[in-house]
Amino acid sequence: MLIFLLRLVFLAITTLSNVITRLLFTAVANLLVLLIHGFKVPGEALLGALEQVAEALRGCLEYVLELLIEILTTFISSVFDALVNAVTESAAVTGSAVVGLVETTKTSLEGLLTDIVPELINGLAEMVSTVVSDLWSNCMDAVGYVTENIS
């Protein structure tokens, strides 16, 4: 059940990032083509405008990547906080209950390490790969649109 929820979260993040980058790159490409057709500026001014657009895209890309890193950091921090809370609460139990709890925790952690952690790492790697792939694809689509519609 936990793996399903994690995969659902990864899918939501991947889809959201794809939609945002697709909209961003498509809007910038359309705006750039409109500007080029509308003004037909000399080559030097066009180069300056393209450099400014490149800087804007670079800034947006940095923002999206920083946001993604922050989301991943928050997620990992939440997982570790949950583990710390579980360990702290289990330490409060005394006597024979502690022994039983330690055995149960050991068994569940072994199961967690063998079942959930590899799935989590695979899902996380797949999500990051998909986000980067979608970002690159959307960027190349926007550049292709601009190059096709300049003349």
Side-chain angles (χ1 to χ4, degrees):
M1 183 65 176
L2 179 61
I3 293 172
F4 175 75
L5 292 174
L6 289 174
R7 286 182 185 240
L8 189 62
V9 168
F10 291 155
L11 176 67
I13 291 171
T14 302
T15 304
L16 182 63
S17 71
N18 185 26
V19 168
I20 289 171
T21 57
R22 171 66 75 180
L23 288 174
L24 177 73
F25 286 129
T26 302
V28 170
N30 286 329
L31 180 62
L32 185 61
V33 168
L34 284 174
L35 287 174
I36 291 170
H37 285 296
F39 296 112
K40 295 289 183 183
V41 294
E44 293 175 7
L46 179 61
L47 179 61
L50 287 175
E51 288 174 351
Q52 288 180 355
V53 169
E55 285 297 319
L57 285 175
R58 189 174 295 120
C60 288
L61 180 61
E62 288 175 1
Y63 175 74
V64 168
L65 289 177
E66 287 176 6
L67 184 63
L68 180 62
I69 289 171
E70 188 172 329
I71 288 170
L72 290 174
T73 303
T74 303
F75 177 74
I76 291 170
S77 175
S78 297
V79 168
F80 283 129
D81 287 344
L83 284 174
V84 167
N85 285 339
V87 170
T88 303
E89 290 174 6
S90 69
V93 179
T94 59
S96 62
V98 170
V99 174
L101 185 58
V102 166
E103 288 299 318
T104 304
T105 303
K106 179 181 174 185
T107 305
S108 66
L109 283 177
E110 287 173 354
L112 177 71
L113 291 175
T114 59
D115 296 337
I116 295 177
V117 172
E119 288 290 331
L120 176 66
I121 291 172
N122 289 339
L124 189 61
E126 182 180 331
M127 180 191 70
V128 170
S129 169
T130 304
V131 166
V132 170
S133 173
D134 289 344
L135 182 68
W136 181 255
S137 174
N138 291 339
C139 183
M140 288 297 104
D141 288 347
V143 169
Y145 179 79
V146 169
T147 56
E148 288 175 7
N149 291 300
I150 285 179
S151 56

